[in-house]
Amino acid sequence: MDDVVVHALNTLMGRTVRRGEARRDGRALRWIEAGSGRPTVICDAALGEPGSLAWAGIMPLVAARTRVLAYDRAGIGASDPVTPLSLAAQTGDLAAVIRQAGNPPCILVGHSLGGLFAQLVAMAHPDLVSGLVLVDPAEEQFLAALPPEEARRGITLGETVLSQYADGTLDGLVRDTFRPFARSLTDDPQVQALILDAYGSCYAKESQARMVRDEHQLIFGSLPAIRRLRAEGTLPDVPVVVLSATTGGPREQREVWTSYHAALAASVPRGRHIVLADTSHAINQERPGEIAEAIKEVIKEIQASAPPLR
C-alpha cells in the first residue's frame, strides 16, 4: 500500500522513516518513527491532529540522537477508530503504544491535549516513563473555567469540519490550514505539495474528520474525571520540562494558563518551566528547535543519572 505520509516525511527528512503498528482490542494503532537508540521518545499531538505529521519539524532533530516515534491517536491519521471514544481508551492506547513500541521507560512528549494525556499515563504507569516534555499542555482547571461560548467554539469547528467533509470541500480547508506549516518545513514546492497530500490523506475518511468534534466533546466531558485522577495521583520523579506559549489568545487567559504550567513544573522535583516569547499555541510548528533541545536535555539528565554499567 502506498503510504503518502511516510513518502512525504522520507522526502522531507532525507532519512529513513518507518511505519510502526501496535494492536489493541482488535484495532491498529500506528505511528511513524526514525532514528535508533534509547531512551525512545514518543510524541502525542494536539486535539484532532495527526501526530505522524505534527512533529515533522522536531523528528529529524531528535532522530539524530535517539529513536523517536510520532503516534496517531485512535481515529486520527492512520490509526483505527475506537468505539466508544473515552478517556480510558485514549490513555490506554498510549500506554499500549509505549509497551509495544519497545524498550520502556520512554520519554513522553505531548502537545496540548497530547500533553494532558502524557501526564495521565505517567501518573497511572510511572514505570513506563523516564521523562516528560509537555508542550503548552492542556490544563483541566483552565478548560473548566472557560466561558461556555469558548468551550463550544471547538465543537462548532468540529461540526464545520464534518459539514465540509460531507460537501467535499474539506480537503481545501485542510490544505489551507497546514500550508504555512509545510512552507516552514521546506522551501521546495514539490515537497510542500507532498506534505499537504499527506495531511489530506489524514482527513480523507469520515471517521478521521469526525475526530475534531469528538475529541472536543471528549475532553470537556471528561474534566471531572481528570480532576479526580489528578487529585488521586502524582507525576513520577522524572525530568519534566513544560513549555508555554505567549500569544494566540486574550492576554489574561494566556497568563492564567501559563501560571498553571509554572505550578505544574514546580510540583515535581526535577521540573523546569520555559516560556517562549512571541510564540502561539502551535509551538510544534513555530519552535521545533526549542522542543528538540528540551528533549535532548531530558535525555542528558536521564543518562547522567543512570547507574554505571558493571
Side-chain angles (χ1 to χ4, degrees):
M1 181 180 67
D2 184 31
D3 192 323
V4 294
V5 172
V6 171
H7 176 55
L9 292 175
N10 267 320
T11 305
L12 172 70
M13 292 171 56
R15 63 171 64 241
T16 301
V17 173
R18 309 175 294 276
R19 175 67 76 182
E21 177 179 309
R23 305 293 301 188
R24 184 170 189 248
D25 300 332
R27 296 177 290 113
L29 300 169
R30 297 186 176 96
W31 61 83
I32 55 98
E33 63 173 271
S36 61
R38 297 185 67 181
T40 300
V41 176
I42 297 182
C43 304
D44 196 0
L47 189 152
E49 186 173 356
S52 52
L53 291 167
W55 302 98
I58 290 94
M59 286 194 71
L61 304 176
V62 179
R65 180 168 190 134
T66 193
R67 180 178 176 228
V68 57
L69 178 159
Y71 149 68
D72 289 336
R73 284 194 301 276
I76 301 175
S79 290
D80 292 340
V82 60
T83 304
L85 182 66
S86 67
L87 186 66
Q90 296 279 44
T91 55
D93 282 356
L94 179 53
V97 168
I98 297 171
R99 291 189 178 97
Q100 296 185 47
N103 293 329
C106 300
I107 298 172
L108 288 185
V109 182
H111 175 218
S112 194
L113 181 58
L116 181 53
F117 286 159
Q119 293 173 68
L120 296 177
V121 169
M123 288 190 290
H125 307 283
D127 57 309
L128 299 181
V129 179
S130 58
L132 289 165
V133 177
L134 306 172
V135 183
D136 221 28
E139 209 289 328
E140 63 275 12
Q141 297 177 83
F142 176 80
L143 293 174
L146 286 176
E149 61 273 14
E150 293 214 24
R152 176 70 190 172
R153 188 176 300 165
I155 296 172
T156 300
L157 171 62
E159 291 171 345
T160 298
V161 168
L162 274 173
S163 175
Q164 293 200 317
Y165 173 83
D167 66 22
T169 61
L170 179 57
D171 186 70
L173 174 64
V174 168
R175 290 170 185 272
D176 287 345
T177 299
F178 292 105
R179 186 169 285 109
F181 182 35
R183 289 173 174 165
S184 74
L185 291 170
T186 175
D187 293 329
D188 187 329
Q190 292 181 319
V191 182
Q192 293 171 10
L194 290 176
I195 294 166
L196 294 177
D197 287 345
Y199 266 108
S201 75
C202 291
Y203 294 92
K205 300 176 183 177
E206 191 273 342
S207 58
Q208 295 168 322
R210 190 174 63 236
M211 290 304 294
V212 177
R213 182 199 65 190
D214 288 0
E215 285 205 327
H216 273 101
Q217 291 176 330
L218 171 67
I219 189 61
F220 281 100
S222 300
L223 293 178
I226 294 169
R227 285 196 293 267
R228 287 195 300 271
L229 292 170
R230 181 83 70 183
E232 294 167 359
T234 57
L235 290 176
D237 181 6
V238 298
V240 177
V241 178
V242 186
L243 297 103
S244 295
T246 48
T247 67
R251 188 185 68 180
E252 295 80 6
Q253 287 187 4
R254 183 68 256 182
E255 289 175 350
V256 170
W257 195 356
T258 300
S259 73
Y260 285 129
H261 292 165
L264 174 63
S267 72
V268 291
R270 290 183 277 173
R272 190 157 59 99
H273 184 215
I274 301 172
V275 179
L276 298 176
D278 302 318
T279 305
S280 78
H281 183 56
I283 298 178
N284 62 309
Q285 298 182 16
E286 297 173 13
R287 306 291 283 271
E290 282 86 344
I291 297 173
E293 187 60 33
I295 295 169
K296 290 176 183 178
E297 289 301 316
V298 169
I299 292 172
K300 287 181 184 178
E301 189 170 347
I302 292 168
Q303 293 174 339
S305 63
L309 295 175
R310 293 180 180 274

